[in-house]
Amino acid sequence: MKMPMIAAGLALLLGCNAQAQAQTPSPAAKKPAVIALVAAVGNKLSFVRQRQGTGSHIEPYTRNSVAINSQALNFAVLRGLDKALELDEPDSQRVFLSWTTPAEVGVAIEKSYGAKRDELLLEALREHLRGLPQREGWDRIEAVLPRYSHLERQGMAGKLGGMGVYVQPLQSGSVEFDENGEVSNSMTNDGANKTVNPKTGETAKESTFVAPYFYFDRVTLDAKTLAVLARKPQYDNIKYNDPTSAAIDVSNQVPIKDMLGRLLVLAERSAYQSVRGKSEVEVGPARAITPPASAPR
């Protein structure tokens, strides 16, 4: 009877195949990405205020800037990026970097205009990163850098960049149109903008407001070559108006100390949204900022 011999042969063959399959190495598990995060909000806050036009070539705004310790804002940005990437890439390892714009670069930026400022800052950051040997262990770098906008947008003044506060104390009858020629969703036909009551969080439509803003680029760099892989501009603001306030000037509806806390919230929220979009972040109350544990000192 040949059946036992055939069965034995099949068993031997199957056994060999099983053994061969067992000895075949499985594909290596994908290595989690190592992402370095850096924020350079800048060391100045801009304060821009609308004023009555005179019919001349002089723009209807006053502009001032105040020097600040920007690390609190930078840490808020880093926290927002970290939260978003933890959800987008849960297996990734994030490394926090600390960088301050060199004084000479700051002077050059002050003497420049428009998009030239953005390019000077990005190149200064890349120059700094070139000197970091540890980037050989990173996969990419996510950087948040101030961005300049010459155009008026979302009911805000033109020529804004980075982080600051815009005050519009005058009633406006202008109407802003979107790219399709339709009236912008952020404005009503009488020129009013969507505003938030700073006390209750309720929304309304008002022509006067005080608005913290954050205009920035999220720049993605290849960690090895420092080539720009992506560059995403973002223009965020929150317009506040308290209809129950007794303050004559809308800028006094939100105290300065409170406004600084709201800027921190905006910085974190905007950084998060630059990765995750605008529907999943909760805008909570202002709170103290704790530096990330791995941020270099």
Side-chain angles (χ1 to χ4, degrees), residues 177-244:
F177 296 90
D178 61 22
E179 297 176 352
N180 299 318
E182 302 291 338
V183 175
S184 172
N185 289 333
S186 65
M187 302 182 72
T188 60
N189 290 334
D190 62 358
N193 291 267
K194 178 181 178 181
T195 58
V196 178
N197 187 319
K199 295 177 181 176
T200 66
E202 296 177 340
T203 60
K205 290 283 188 176
E206 302 289 348
S207 292
T208 63
F209 54 84
V210 54
Y213 66 85
F214 187 19
Y215 289 7
F216 66 96
D217 278 333
R218 179 169 64 83
V219 183
T220 303
L221 301 170
D222 178 86
K224 308 300 189 298
T225 66
L226 298 181
V228 176
L229 303 178
R231 190 166 187 166
K232 179 185 177 183
Q234 189 149 327
Y235 309 94
D236 287 341
N237 68 81
I238 305 176
K239 301 178 181 71
Y240 292 108
N241 179 292
D242 180 2
T244 66

Side-chain angles (χ1 to χ4, degrees), residues 23 53-55 64 133 150 167 188 222:
Q23 292 176 350
T54 61
N64 296 286
H150 181 79
V167 180
T188 60
D222 178 86

Side-chain angles (χ1 to χ4, degrees), residues 71-73 75-84 257-272 281-291:
Q71 290 310 310
L73 293 169
F75 290 143
V77 169
L78 292 177
R79 186 169 57 250
L81 283 178
D82 184 47
K83 287 180 178 179
K257 185 177 181 180
D258 187 15
M259 181 60 74
L260 293 176
R262 293 176 188 275
L263 281 167
L264 292 173
V265 172
L266 177 62
E268 181 178 340
R269 186 194 76 163
S270 296
Y272 179 101
V281 63
E282 178 181 351
V283 181
R287 58 188 181 280
I289 300 298
T290 302

Side-chain angles (χ1 to χ4, degrees), residues 243-260:
T244 66
S245 174
I248 297 176
D249 192 318
V250 68
S251 64
N252 294 326
Q253 292 182 0
V254 181
I256 292 296
K257 185 177 181 180
D258 187 15
M259 181 60 74
L260 293 176

Side-chain angles (χ1 to χ4, degrees), residues 23-282:
Q23 292 176 350
T24 301
S26 59
K30 186 178 179 181
K31 181 183 176 183
V34 180
I35 309 169
L37 310 180
V38 60
V41 173
N43 62 354
K44 289 185 179 180
L45 284 181
S46 296
F47 289 86
V48 180
R49 182 182 175 90
Q50 179 195 41
R51 60 182 177 82
Q52 191 70 49
T54 61
S56 68
H57 66 281
I58 300 175
E59 66 170 2
Y61 304 104
T62 58
R63 300 175 187 270
N64 296 286
S65 61
V66 176
I68 60 167
N69 178 351
S70 63
Q71 290 310 310
L73 293 169
N74 285 335
F75 290 143
V77 169
L78 292 177
R79 186 169 57 250
L81 283 178
D82 184 47
K83 287 180 178 179
L85 290 169
E86 184 178 19
L87 293 174
D88 252 24
E89 303 175 57
D91 294 331
S92 66
Q93 176 186 350
R94 278 87 60 199
V95 178
F96 296 91
L97 306 181
S98 177
W99 179 66
T100 301
T101 307
E104 63 274 15
V105 175
V107 171
I109 289 174
E110 288 293 331
K111 293 180 179 179
S112 302
Y113 297 93
K116 180 65 174 177
R117 294 183 170 196
D118 305 336
E119 297 306 320
L120 284 171
L121 184 60
L122 176 57
E123 186 51 42
L125 174 61
R126 293 171 72 187
E127 184 63 29
H128 168 73
L129 293 170
R130 288 187 186 100
L132 300 182
Q134 56 267 45
R135 66 187 171 87
E136 290 300 320
W138 305 338
D139 293 288
R140 73 177 194 268
I141 301 165
E142 296 286 356
V144 169
L145 304 175
R147 180 182 179 88
Y148 177 84
S149 175
H150 181 79
L151 301 175
E152 297 181 8
R153 58 179 70 243
Q154 301 175 353
M156 303 284 285
K159 300 180 183 178
L160 300 181
M163 184 165 282
V165 178
Y166 171 60
V167 180
Q168 181 161 297
L170 306 176
Q171 295 287 338
S172 173
S174 63
V175 179
E176 183 173 310
F177 296 90
D178 61 22
E179 297 176 352
N180 299 318
E182 302 291 338
V183 175
S184 172
N185 289 333
S186 65
M187 302 182 72
T188 60
N189 290 334
D190 62 358
N193 291 267
K194 178 181 178 181
T195 58
V196 178
N197 187 319
K199 295 177 181 176
T200 66
E202 296 177 340
T203 60
K205 290 283 188 176
E206 302 289 348
S207 292
T208 63
F209 54 84
V210 54
Y213 66 85
F214 187 19
Y215 289 7
F216 66 96
D217 278 333
R218 179 169 64 83
V219 183
T220 303
L221 301 170
D222 178 86
K224 308 300 189 298
T225 66
L226 298 181
V228 176
L229 303 178
R231 190 166 187 166
K232 179 185 177 183
Q234 189 149 327
Y235 309 94
D236 287 341
N237 68 81
I238 305 176
K239 301 178 181 71
Y240 292 108
N241 179 292
D242 180 2
T244 66
S245 174
I248 297 176
D249 192 318
V250 68
S251 64
N252 294 326
Q253 292 182 0
V254 181
I256 292 296
K257 185 177 181 180
D258 187 15
M259 181 60 74
L260 293 176
R262 293 176 188 275
L263 281 167
L264 292 173
V265 172
L266 177 62
E268 181 178 340
R269 186 194 76 163
S270 296
Y272 179 101
Q273 290 174 344
S274 73
V275 178
R276 296 286 294 175
K278 297 194 174 185
S279 61
E280 300 181 45
V281 63
E282 178 181 351

